[in-house]
Amino acid sequence: MRQHAGFTLIELMIVVVIIGILAAIALPAYQIYTIRSQVTEGLVLASAAKIAVEENTITRSAGAIADYPGVGVPPAGSYGYKFDATDKVAGIAIAGVADVTAPAADEGTITITYAGRIATALGDTLRLVPGSGAVDAVSGLPANAISTTTPIVWGCAFTGGAGSVASFKYVPANCRH
């Protein structure tokens, strides 16, 4: 009687094929997951900018709010928000408001600009647009401009370029419009 002394060549080939198939599925999914989590990091960092917009538009009784360029010390008359670039987020800019008593559409918009590998994969920027009323299901933007009498709602707009459809897998679902 002969004893079995190990695996046959066929058994080893089957194991290698199974590992190859798993790697072909798992690696792209993992890469998408890591980029998506890094995009979310930018959204989390922008939450302080959202608070700055809300506080400044509600507490100021008149006048304008200057633009914040995205990094560094805030200019006089701006939101008082300061952002220092990270390895994943290059800047978080905030659009100014011409008159806080009657803000126009897109005033107070926060633009998140990504850096490095995320910028290459995403292609462009994410915009968080403040407003009032309901967020439109088609555009992802608030129905009206900021109102001092109603709560501020935030819409998300992905400003995609030529690669925007492929980049949808990296942005949150509410930005895919």
Side-chain angles (χ1 to χ4, degrees):
M1 267 195 142
R2 241 179 111 201
Q3 277 191 333
H4 197 308
F7 296 109
T8 65
L9 182 60
I10 298 294
E11 291 170 332
L12 290 173
M13 289 174 59
I14 290 172
V15 168
V16 168
V17 167
I18 290 172
I19 291 172
I21 291 171
L22 290 175
I25 294 169
L27 288 177
Y30 179 73
Q31 289 172 340
I32 291 170
Y33 168 76
T34 55
I35 292 172
R36 193 179 285 175
S37 68
Q38 292 167 354
V39 169
T40 303
E41 178 182 335
L43 291 169
V44 169
L45 290 172
S47 63
K50 288 168 72 172
I51 292 170
V53 170
E54 291 169 358
E55 283 182 359
N56 280 280
T57 55
I58 291 171
T59 59
R60 293 191 187 188
S61 58
I65 303 172
D67 291 341
Y68 176 68
V71 291
V73 179
S78 72
Y79 295 93
Y81 168 78
K82 181 180 185 268
F83 178 75
D84 294 319
T86 67
D87 59 332
K88 295 177 182 60
V89 181
I92 298 178
I94 309 173
V97 177
D99 182 8
V100 293
T101 58
D106 288 341
E107 288 187 331
T109 296
I110 298 169
T111 304
I112 306 167
T113 306
Y114 291 94
R117 188 174 129 201
I118 306 168
T120 304
L122 194 59
D124 285 281
T125 59
L126 284 178
R127 291 176 42 238
L128 300 174
V129 182
S132 60
V135 174
D136 187 309
V138 176
S139 69
L141 302 175
N144 305 307
I146 299 172
S147 170
T148 56
T149 59
T150 59
I152 293 177
V153 295
W154 290 90
C156 184
F158 168 58
T159 55
S164 65
V165 174
S167 301
F168 273 179
K169 61 187 170 192
Y170 302 123
V171 298
N174 62 332
C175 293
R176 299 177 191 171
H177 302 287

